[in-house]
């Protein structure tokens, strides 16, 4: 699938997807399911990347537009758009992405550090990058991605 | 065949401890949560040994002994009194009331099982006791 | 079952017992305690002691023991229940509760505190000896723990619980056993005496000294359930025993009385063990037989009856056979039938079943093994299902209940969806499916109510805890006070009961500390020097109303207002109604106490109480009459999981507003709307002007021309002022299931929670309190009519507190787990 040193143990799996025409990936242990996009209920006083909340079998989960989150503009309407339902701790959230591409098996030591980039907020939300046959994918830090929510009303 | 024990105590904790000790030894245990229930269950359970608390609502341990001893059935079943007191007066009273033996709370499982075996002469299988039975 | 889970059982049981104790003491205090009540109080303490012993909680055991002793004195009329004694009992119950709690958390309690309580209890007994715990004879009991056998310094033969102690035995003039000698009882089991004897090696049998036991059972020996065969054979293994029946008292057959025992035995048991051990074996039968134990010295003198003379002490070839044969002629005919040596075999059980005239229960005549026994007894003997008193209860893991409640919540949503789908079909009204959906709706509601009732709990334990608070507060302030509770059986959701404890505690303390006058002032005012705090609970139209009142001096409104002005909470010269002044107490940072007493001056004000009540979806109000006292009224929803909502439309969004907060729906005309300045709008209704709040604007969905306001909802706020919320339309009224937003997202200003509508879409539930008071304050730059923000920059603080309400409610409720893992595979 990709050029990796056969000696390295493939001990990590990532779900890769596209947002804002860039490739991102998330540790598979966070991913619960992939759902079709459905209408969300917008939330008051929400940042632009929070599209609203969706009903996931009785649970209310917020949906983040990953493209908007990384400053790549709002995700364009497309039937291929899907929501990656992910959990972190007790929190369940949905990430709107343009398409899910594949599951990547890599060795942990193949994850490279994020190079210095200008956008501090982007850098903070990316834990590293993985080289792929065609280009690279950005490993997102889910906790950092959803930090943008308002902590408390004030 | 194994021993069947009827344990009467109003404390759930003590009942649970008794049940555990008895069942761990491979014996069967039925429990009642006061003297009245205990006496009612007695004829139905037909136990090999009765273990009864003294202080209980509705009917106390002495009442239980009296009811069993003056009953019509299995009147000479061994009855052990379970009490927090260890005083001589209580023992005398228990003995006078017709108790076969007594056991002081807190009891130890091995001690309970040994006494059960002792008052019944039961030498059958049981897992809790060391040494030969 | 692990020891840990039994420990949990014990502490759960302690809760019940402490509750029973508090209840009984309360009845004793009012003088309405009968003997059964006294017994119940005694038993509660006694059971705590008994259970605590099993877990080696020696402090708890010792204290419970002393407590129990005092109660026993009262129970047996040896001690008068004076006010002083009653007070000691109440405080001791409090301390016992503290000890239980400490034990549960594996903390230790200050020994001096416990010692002080012990002294107080001792004083009740009027016995100086009781003042020093060490002098209390019975305290030896507390030293006994489960591992007593391993305690190196503790001589095993002195352990009172074995019941085998040598000194009690008639033959006491023998030397004490050598402690360095391995004593079988140090293994922890008294009855291991028998196996230990049997452990003797064969070579010792002939060479070791032997004990000679003379044993003559009396009638009560048999009636107490003893069996000579069992007793003798369990003394040692058959090979170690020489048993010689003494038939000398056996009468001629014609004179034989089956009820009269006539057998005696001489037993020689090889033993290198102390005689006390052998004697101990007979402890249970002491006083029920003639018994003598002595070391065998020489061949015993010839027996009196030459007819049965045997070479003594020559071993009997089959020592077991003889007693058995004899026993079958023993004074108990039925024992011959049913009591073979090794316990009744199965057929014996069947046989005995024929003996008593069985009542209604038909007996299973086949295999009465242990399993059958337990199965048959299951309904009654299952500990978890055991009920106390007439009403059986069931202890269920809360998680299971919440799962059920959650599923029913989903069912309600599903029902709404189906109903909507059916409605969308526009079928004729007499269509069958319409009546079916109607039935479905009713059934779902019934189911929901039944399920929610599972979580409902009486407020009684909560109220009982408050009487302790009153006692402590009275003690701390020196104002005599007592608590009267009303409606203890009123049921409220478990979470409400739990979360109400802190606010109630605070309010009760407040009532004693601030509400009541000093005893002297009360007497001067012609009142009973002892103040009364009244705590009541009742159901009223879908809510639970809890009131806390005192018969103190009432609120001094002039002082409150002056204080509020001096603290900058109210503008100088503001005209406030009585109700508005009273409500100043709920403002953050307000304290009426001139000096901060160490009781209520813990940095907690009534504003915190108000927030806590608000977080439960409730409200608090105050009323007061100068000279005769104050009353706080808390109204709470019956359940936290569902509420009646009005489905509205705001800026194209479907939302829900709690029906409870809506007083009236008004369709204003342009003439009713007035601008105040450039931004504020007022709605005139029946001659009054109310602030009008644009919900869409508050929520950041854009501002609209107030002239286009199509609908206004008149809502009541906590400040008891009315407000109008501008919305687009009212769509429906329905019960909605509250879903928290906090866990997956966070708090949103003006939104308390969310719900799922019939079409599966999520609708936000509006937080009217936040919208009306704080939002209007934030947006319009003012906080209600006459209130000023406490200080510049601090305006947001109360707002953020009130934004939590419903969300916090919903947070306490289970959220369904989402999704199967890795659905992507």
């Amino acid at each position: 699938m990709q050029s990796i040193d056969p000696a390295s143990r493939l001990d990590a799996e990532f779900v890769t997807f596209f947002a804002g025409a860039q490739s991102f990936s998330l540790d598979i242990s966070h991913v619960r399911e992939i759902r079709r996009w459905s209408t969300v209920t917008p939330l008051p006083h929400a940042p632009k990347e929070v599209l609203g909340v969706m009903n996931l079998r009785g649970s209310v989960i917020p949906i983040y537009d990953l493209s908007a989150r990384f400053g790549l503009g709002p995700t364009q309407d497309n039937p291929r758009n899907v929501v990656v339902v992910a959990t972190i701790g007790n929190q369940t959230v949905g990430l709107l992405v343009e398409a899910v591409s594949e599951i990547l098996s890599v060795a942990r030591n193949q994850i490279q550090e994020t190079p210095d980039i200008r956008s501090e907020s982007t850098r903070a939300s990316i834990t590293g990058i993985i080289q792929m046959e065609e280009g690279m994918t950005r490993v997102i830090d889910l906790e950092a991605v959803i930090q943008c929510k308002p902590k408390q009303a004030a | 065949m194994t021993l069947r024990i009827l344990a009467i105590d109003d404390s759930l904790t003590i009942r649970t401890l008794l049940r555990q000790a008895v069942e761990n030894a491979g014996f069967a245990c039925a429990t009642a949560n006061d003297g009245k229930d205990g006496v009612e269950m007695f004829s139905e359970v037909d136990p090999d040994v009765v273990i009864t608390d003294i202080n209980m609502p509705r009917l106390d341990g002495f009442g239980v002994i009296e009811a069993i001893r003056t009953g019509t059935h299995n009147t000479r079943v061994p009855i052990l009194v379970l009490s927090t007191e260890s005083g001589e007066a209580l023992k005398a009273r228990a003995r006078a009331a017709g108790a076969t033996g007594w056991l002081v709370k807190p009891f130890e499982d091995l001690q309970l099982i040994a006494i059960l075996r002792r008052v019944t002469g039961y030498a059958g299988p049981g897992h809790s006791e060391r040494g030969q039975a | 079952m692990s020891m840990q889970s039994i420990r949990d059982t014990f502490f759960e049981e302690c809760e019940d017992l402490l509750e029973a104790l508090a209840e009984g003491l309360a009845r004793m205090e009012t003088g309405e305690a009968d003997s059964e009540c006294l017994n119940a109080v005694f038993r509660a303490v006694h059971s705590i002691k008994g259970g605590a012993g099993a877990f080696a909680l020696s402090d708890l055991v010792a204290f419970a023991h002393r407590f129990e002793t005092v109660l026993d004195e009262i129970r047996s009329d040896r001690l008068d229940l004076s006010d002083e004694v009653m007070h000691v009992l109440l405080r001791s119950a409090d301390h016992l509760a503290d000890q239980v709690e400490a034990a549960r958390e594996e903390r230790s309690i200050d020994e001096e505190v416990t010692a002080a309580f012990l002294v107080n209890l001792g004083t009740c007994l009027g016995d100086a000896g009781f003042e020093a715990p060490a002098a209390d004879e019975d305290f030896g009991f507390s030293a006994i723990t489960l591992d007593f056998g391993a305690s190196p310094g503790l001589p095993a033969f002195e352990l009172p619980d074995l019941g085998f102690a040598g000194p009690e035995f008639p033959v006491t003039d023998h030397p004490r056993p050598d402690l360095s000698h391995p004593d079988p009882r140090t293994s922890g089991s008294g009855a291991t005496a028998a196996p230990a004897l049997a452990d003797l090696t064969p070579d010792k049998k002939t060479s070791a000294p032997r004990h000679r036991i003379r044993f003559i059972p009396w009638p009560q020996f048999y009636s107490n359930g003893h069996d000579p065969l069992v007793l003798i054979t369990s003394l040692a293994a058959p090979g170690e025993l020489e048993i010689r029946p003494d038939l000398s008292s056996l009468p001629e057959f014609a004179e034989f009385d089956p009820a009269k025992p006539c057998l005696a035995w001489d037993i020689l048991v090889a033993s290198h063990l102390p005689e006390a051990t052998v004697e101990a074996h007979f402890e249970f039968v002491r006083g029920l037989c003639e018994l003598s134990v002595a070391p065998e010295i020489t061949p015993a003198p010839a027996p009196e009856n030459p007819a049965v003379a045997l070479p003594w002490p020559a071993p009997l070839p089959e020592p077991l056979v003889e007693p058995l044969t004899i026993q079958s002629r023993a004074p108990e005919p039925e024992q011959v039938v049913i009591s073979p040596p090794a316990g009744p075999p199965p057929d014996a059980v069947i046989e005995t079943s024929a003996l008593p005239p069985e009542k209604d229960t038909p007996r299973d005549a086949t295999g009465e093994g242990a399993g059958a026994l337990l199965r048959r007894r299951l309904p009654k003997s299952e500990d978890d299902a055991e009920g106390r008193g007439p009403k059986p209860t069931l202890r269920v893991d809360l998680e299971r209940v919440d799962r059920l409640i959650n599923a029913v919540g989903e069912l309600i949503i599903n029902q709404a969806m189906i109903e909507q789908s059916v409605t969308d079909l526009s079928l004729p009204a007499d269509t069958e499916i319409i009546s079916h959906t109607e039935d479905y709706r009713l059934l779902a509601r019934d189911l929901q109510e039944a399920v929610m009732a599972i979580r409902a709990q009486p407020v009684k334990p909560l109220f009982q805890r408050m009487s302790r608070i009153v006692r402590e507060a009275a003690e701390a302030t020196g104002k005599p006070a007592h608590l009267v509770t009303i409606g203890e059986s009123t049921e409220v959701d478990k979470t409400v009961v739990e979360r109400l404890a802190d606010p109630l505690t605070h309010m009760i303390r407040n009532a004693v500390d601030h509400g009541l006058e000093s005893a002297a002032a009360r007497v001067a005012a012609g009142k009973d020097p002892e103040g009364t705090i009244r705590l009541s609970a009742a159901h009223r139209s879908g809510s639970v109303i809890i009131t806390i009142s005192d018969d103190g001096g009432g609120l001094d409104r002039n002082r409150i207002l002056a204080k509020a002005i001096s603290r900058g909470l109210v503008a100088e010269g503001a005209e406030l109604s009585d109700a508005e002044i009273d409500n100043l107490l709920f403002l953050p940072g307000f304290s009426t106490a001139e000096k901060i007493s160490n009781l209520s001056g813990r940095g907690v004000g009534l504003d915190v109480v108000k927030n806590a009540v608000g977080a439960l979806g409730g409200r608090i109000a105050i009323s007061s009459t100068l000279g005769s006292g104050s009353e706080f009224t808390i109204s709470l929803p019956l359940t936290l999981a569902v509420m009646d909502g009005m489905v509205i439309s705001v800026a194209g969004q479907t939302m829900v507003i709690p029906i409870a907060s809506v007083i009236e729906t008004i369709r204003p005309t342009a003439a009713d709307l007035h601008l105040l300045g450039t931004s504020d709008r007022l709605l005139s209704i029946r001659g009054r002007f109310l602030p009008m709040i644009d919900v869409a604007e508050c929520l950041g969905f854009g501002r609209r021309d107030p002239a286009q306001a199509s609908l206004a909802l008149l809502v009541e706020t906590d400040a008891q002022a009315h407000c109008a919320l501008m919305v687009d339309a009212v769509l429906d009224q329905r019960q909605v299931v509250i879903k928290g937003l906090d866990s997956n997202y966070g708090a949103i200003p003006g939104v308390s929670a969310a719900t799922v509508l019939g079409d599966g879409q999520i609708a936000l539930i509006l937080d009217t309190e936040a919208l009306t008071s704080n939002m209007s304050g934030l947006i319009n730059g003012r906080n209600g009519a006459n209130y000023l923000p406490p200080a510049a920059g601090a305006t947001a603080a109360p707002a953020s507190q009130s934004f939590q309400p419903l969300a916090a409610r919903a947070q306490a409720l289970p959220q369904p787990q989402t999704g199967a893992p890795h659905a992507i595979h």
Side-chain angles (χ1 to χ4, degrees):
Chain A
M1 194 159 63
Q2 59 270 130
S3 56
I4 50 159
D5 177 10
S8 306
R9 246 185 63 232
L10 302 180
D11 53 1
E13 279 189 307
F14 292 88
V15 177
T16 67
F17 34 79
F18 279 90
Q22 296 188 1
S23 174
F24 291 90
S25 52
L26 178 63
D27 193 311
I28 201 163
S29 62
H30 289 303
V31 179
R32 287 291 158 264
E33 60 184 295
I34 311 287
R35 289 181 70 87
R36 270 189 305 135
W37 166 254
S38 61
T39 322
V40 296
T41 301
L43 294 176
H45 311 297
K48 62 183 184 320
E49 59 264 36
V50 176
L51 296 170
V53 285
M54 190 176 98
N55 170 19
L56 180 70
R57 287 184 296 279
S59 251
V60 179
I61 65 165
I63 307 298
Y64 294 80
D65 182 339
L66 206 63
S67 171
R69 174 66 183 79
F70 284 102
L72 304 170
T75 302
Q76 300 302 311
D77 270 350
N78 189 309
R80 286 184 66 201
N81 288 355
V82 290
V83 173
V84 177
V85 178
T87 57
I88 179 158
N90 295 326
Q91 225 175 323
T92 305
V93 298
L95 305 174
L96 175 67
V97 300
E98 282 148 21
V100 169
S101 37
E102 61 178 326
I103 294 173
L104 198 60
S105 294
V106 295
R108 289 244 174 245
N109 59 18
Q110 281 187 297
I111 305 168
Q112 302 173 20
E113 253 183 59
T114 318
D116 280 343
I117 47 173
R118 244 181 305 160
S119 165
E120 194 49 47
S121 78
T122 301
R123 187 163 190 263
S125 309
I126 302 283
T127 58
I129 53 175
I130 302 171
Q131 182 87 46
M132 294 195 299
E133 273 176 1
E134 292 163 24
M136 59 138 190
T137 183
R138 299 144 191 84
V139 179
I140 63 171
D141 179 345
L142 185 56
E143 193 163 9
V145 164
I146 63 177
Q147 278 298 310
C148 55
K149 71 174 186 193
K151 270 285 167 210
Q152 273 289 323
Chain B
M1 187 56 202
T2 181
L3 284 185
R4 295 188 301 170
I5 315 298
L6 172 61
I8 312 171
D9 199 305
D10 60 330
S11 160
L12 175 61
T13 308
I14 301 295
R15 284 199 302 276
T16 312
L17 285 166
L18 284 170
R19 178 190 287 280
Q20 175 174 272
V22 165
E23 289 180 350
N24 279 349
F27 303 155
C29 186
T31 60
N33 58 3
D34 66 37
K36 211 153 185 258
D37 274 0
V39 170
E40 270 172 32
M41 285 175 68
F42 177 73
S43 60
E44 221 178 310
V45 172
D46 195 23
D48 299 310
V49 183
V50 175
I51 302 173
T52 181
D53 184 25
I54 296 290
N55 280 295
M56 289 183 292
R58 304 213 289 166
L59 184 66
D60 69 8
F62 297 120
V64 170
I65 298 173
E66 192 191 340
I68 292 173
R69 295 287 183 236
T70 59
T72 53
H73 162 64
N74 197 6
T75 58
R76 305 218 164 154
V77 66
I79 303 176
L80 296 176
V81 165
L82 187 61
S83 162
T84 51
E85 282 120 279
S86 56
E88 209 31 51
L90 179 106
K91 288 178 192 174
R93 202 177 156 203
R95 202 159 22 211
T100 311
W102 48 84
L103 191 65
V104 175
K105 287 186 257 190
F107 58 88
E108 204 191 354
D109 288 10
L110 289 180
Q111 176 194 352
L112 168 66
I113 301 309
I115 290 178
L116 289 177
R117 288 178 181 280
R118 191 167 121 208
V119 295
T120 54
Y122 180 76
H127 331 295
S128 255
E129 207 181 357
R130 304 160 307 108
Q132 89 194 79
Chain C
M1 191 174 234
S2 72
M3 214 53 193
Q4 183 57 46
S5 69
I6 299 182
R7 203 171 181 274
D8 293 345
T9 303
F10 167 63
F11 285 115
E12 266 173 40
E13 184 172 24
C14 277
E15 273 175 32
D16 294 346
L17 292 167
L18 288 169
E19 200 181 302
L21 174 63
E23 192 184 342
L25 288 176
R27 285 178 62 193
M28 284 166 71
E29 198 180 7
T30 55
E32 50 186 275
D34 52 11
S35 70
E36 185 37 50
C37 173
L38 290 174
N39 281 332
V41 165
F42 175 85
R43 273 197 310 271
V45 178
H46 185 75
S47 289
I48 290 173
K49 179 176 101 169
F55 301 99
L57 303 169
S58 50
D59 291 353
L60 186 50
V61 170
F63 185 72
H65 178 76
R66 176 74 63 85
F67 194 174
E68 171 193 291
T69 309
V70 175
L71 290 170
D72 193 35
E73 291 295 299
I74 295 167
R75 185 170 69 154
S76 27
D77 280 333
R78 289 191 294 265
L79 179 62
D80 274 346
L81 188 57
S82 65
D83 285 353
E84 291 75 35
V85 171
M86 190 65 231
H87 181 74
V88 170
L89 294 182
L90 288 165
R91 299 295 288 128
S92 298
D94 295 343
H95 184 68
L96 189 68
D98 286 346
Q99 281 193 315
V100 168
E101 196 187 335
R104 183 176 213 157
E105 292 163 8
E106 296 178 14
R107 284 185 287 115
S108 57
I109 256 186
D110 188 352
E111 279 176 28
E112 282 180 26
V113 176
T114 305
F117 278 107
L118 283 170
V119 168
N120 286 342
L121 283 168
T123 313
C124 289
L125 296 168
D127 183 346
F130 271 90
E131 290 185 19
D136 190 346
E137 190 83 21
D138 257 324
F139 268 45
F141 169 69
S142 64
I144 300 161
T145 61
L146 285 182
D147 59 351
F148 61 80
S151 313
L154 200 62
F157 60 81
E158 283 189 348
L159 289 175
D161 58 325
L162 293 182
F164 305 135
E168 298 166 346
F169 217 74
V171 191
T172 55
D173 53 344
H174 295 293
R176 283 285 175 86
D178 179 6
L179 282 180
S180 63
H181 199 283
D183 184 327
R185 284 169 302 158
T186 51
S187 69
S189 163
T192 45
L197 284 171
D199 280 343
L200 292 176
T201 47
D203 58 320
K204 281 191 175 158
K205 175 181 145 196
T206 46
S207 58
R210 300 201 291 187
H211 294 295
R212 180 169 176 271
I213 303 164
R214 174 80 180 160
F215 172 48
I216 310 170
W218 298 335
Q220 211 199 333
F221 175 93
Y222 297 99
S223 62
N224 271 20
H226 293 287
D227 181 337
L229 176 69
V230 165
L231 188 72
I232 295 169
T233 53
S234 65
L235 188 58
E240 309 295 334
L241 283 175
E242 290 178 23
I243 306 166
R244 184 167 177 270
D246 178 354
L247 308 178
S248 56
S249 307
L250 199 64
E252 292 299 313
F253 187 74
E255 290 155 32
F256 185 75
D257 177 358
K260 193 165 164 274
C262 49
L263 293 173
W265 285 269
D266 281 306
I267 305 148
L268 267 178
V269 53
S271 176
H272 63 285
L273 292 170
E275 276 152 41
T277 310
V278 180
E279 289 158 4
H281 188 78
F282 291 90
E283 168 65 1
F284 285 164
V285 299
R286 198 158 61 87
L288 305 178
C289 59
E290 189 185 317
L291 186 74
S292 64
V293 182
E296 180 197 22
I297 307 156
T298 48
E304 310 89 59
N305 191 342
V308 286
L310 287 168
W312 175 262
L316 293 169
E318 279 179 307
L320 276 181
V321 173
E322 189 87 281
L324 187 59
T325 322
I326 290 161
Q327 202 221 332
S328 62
R329 286 195 276 140
E332 278 185 280
E334 77 266 30
Q335 273 204 344
V336 178
V337 183
I338 64 164
S339 288
D347 57 338
V349 178
I350 294 161
E351 195 167 345
T352 52
S353 71
L355 289 178
E358 276 294 333
K359 295 169 293 189
D360 42 2
T361 331
R363 284 194 60 137
D364 181 2
T366 57
E368 288 280 346
L373 164 82
L374 293 179
R375 265 200 310 281
R376 195 153 46 85
R377 287 307 314 172
L378 203 62
K380 259 181 144 177
S381 68
E382 182 67 12
D383 280 332
D384 285 351
E386 269 169 355
R388 282 169 187 281
K391 223 172 168 182
T393 56
L394 183 67
R395 274 179 204 267
V396 184
D397 193 354
L398 193 59
E399 207 176 286
R400 292 193 196 179
V401 175
D402 286 343
R403 221 157 57 211
L404 180 64
I405 290 174
N406 209 56
V408 171
E410 296 309 307
L411 182 88
I412 297 284
I413 292 169
N414 177 259
Q415 177 270 323
M417 287 182 185
I418 292 176
E419 194 171 333
Q420 184 149 344
S421 305
V422 170
T423 311
D424 290 350
L425 292 173
S426 308
L427 298 167
D430 58 350
T431 314
E432 215 172 39
I433 190 155
I434 288 181
S435 65
H436 287 337
T437 6
E438 176 65 10
D439 288 347
Y440 182 26
R441 188 168 64 83
L442 295 175
L443 283 172
R445 290 287 177 276
D446 279 357
L447 181 60
Q448 186 181 35
E449 259 171 44
V451 162
M452 294 315 295
I454 299 177
R455 275 185 65 97
Q457 287 193 327
V459 294
K460 191 169 158 184
L462 178 67
F463 277 21
Q464 278 178 355
R465 260 188 281 168
M466 294 306 136
S467 61
R468 168 179 191 169
I469 305 299
V470 170
R471 278 197 294 281
E472 285 174 347
E475 211 155 89
T477 57
K479 300 176 187 172
H482 72 281
L483 181 76
V484 173
T485 57
I486 300 148
E488 286 187 324
S489 57
T490 308
E491 292 193 332
V492 197
D493 184 274
K494 183 179 163 61
T495 307
V496 176
V497 173
E498 283 162 3
R499 298 240 214 120
L500 216 48
D502 285 344
L504 267 192
T505 303
H506 185 75
M507 292 173 77
I508 294 275
R509 279 197 187 125
N510 248 332
V512 177
D513 199 14
H514 304 317
L516 295 180
E517 319 91 322
S518 69
R522 289 180 64 88
V523 173
K527 293 182 183 177
D528 186 335
E530 186 179 41
T532 303
I533 309 294
R534 216 170 274 275
L535 183 58
S536 80
H539 282 179
R540 200 154 71 213
S541 60
S543 296
V544 178
I545 310 292
I546 291 173
T547 60
I548 302 103
S549 63
D550 62 67
D551 63 349
L555 297 177
D556 183 344
R557 298 200 171 93
N558 292 333
R559 226 177 80 206
I560 292 170
L561 187 57
K563 181 134 289 178
I565 291 169
S566 77
R567 301 218 167 175
L569 297 168
V570 176
E572 191 97 36
E575 297 262 322
L576 269 68
S577 69
D578 282 358
E580 282 172 324
I581 293 174
D582 293 351
N583 277 295
L584 291 172
L585 291 175
F586 294 116
L587 286 182
F590 193 95
S591 173
T592 48
E594 291 295 339
K595 63 175 169 62
I596 292 179
S597 72
N598 57 1
L599 191 65
S600 46
R602 295 180 185 174
V604 191
L606 278 173
D607 57 316
V608 175
V609 170
K610 183 184 171 182
N611 283 334
V613 171
L616 292 167
R619 283 182 174 195
I620 184 165
I622 181 171
S623 69
S624 177
T625 313
L626 196 63
S628 57
S630 311
E631 180 173 272
F632 288 86
T633 307
I634 297 173
S635 89
L636 292 162
L638 279 179
T639 156
L640 301 178
V642 289
M643 66 166 204
D644 286 314
M646 186 180 274
V647 184
I648 56 171
S649 157
V650 175
Q653 297 294 318
T654 304
M655 299 193 166
V656 175
I657 185 165
I659 273 181
S661 60
V662 179
I663 304 162
E664 198 178 339
T665 311
I666 299 158
R667 204 168 285 279
T669 63
D672 297 330
L673 296 164
H674 308 273
L675 271 175
L676 187 67
T678 51
S679 57
D680 289 355
R681 281 146 293 183
L682 295 178
L683 172 71
S684 74
I685 169 173
R686 294 186 283 271
R688 289 171 67 200
F689 289 95
L690 303 177
M692 179 117 175
I693 294 156
D694 182 351
V695 175
E697 184 193 356
C698 284
L699 299 178
F701 290 157
R703 195 191 151 95
R704 274 151 324 131
D705 180 359
Q708 286 176 6
S710 53
L711 206 59
L713 303 178
L714 206 61
V715 296
E716 192 182 25
T717 71
D718 267 353
Q720 291 177 340
H722 290 178
C723 237
L725 295 180
M726 197 161 87
V727 303
D728 295 345
V730 171
L731 306 175
D732 195 6
Q733 283 191 12
R734 65 167 64 224
Q735 217 173 25
V736 296
V737 178
I738 298 167
K739 303 273 181 188
L741 285 167
D742 259 10
S743 57
N744 287 333
Y745 185 67
I748 302 170
V751 174
S752 57
T755 189
V756 180
L757 292 177
D759 58 1
Q761 282 292 302
I762 288 170
L764 302 176
I765 301 175
L766 296 176
D767 180 349
T768 28
E769 199 60 36
L771 285 174
T772 53
S773 59
N774 301 301
M775 293 302 289
S776 65
L778 284 173
I779 288 166
N780 301 333
R782 37 183 297 189
N783 196 356
N786 285 301
Y787 303 154
L788 292 177
T795 333
S800 64
Q801 274 168 352
S802 328
F803 285 146
Q804 291 175 13
L806 264 184
R809 276 170 68 181
Q811 205 176 19
L813 294 161
Q815 293 300 314
Q817 288 305 302
T818 46
H822 306 307
I824 193 171
H825 283 181

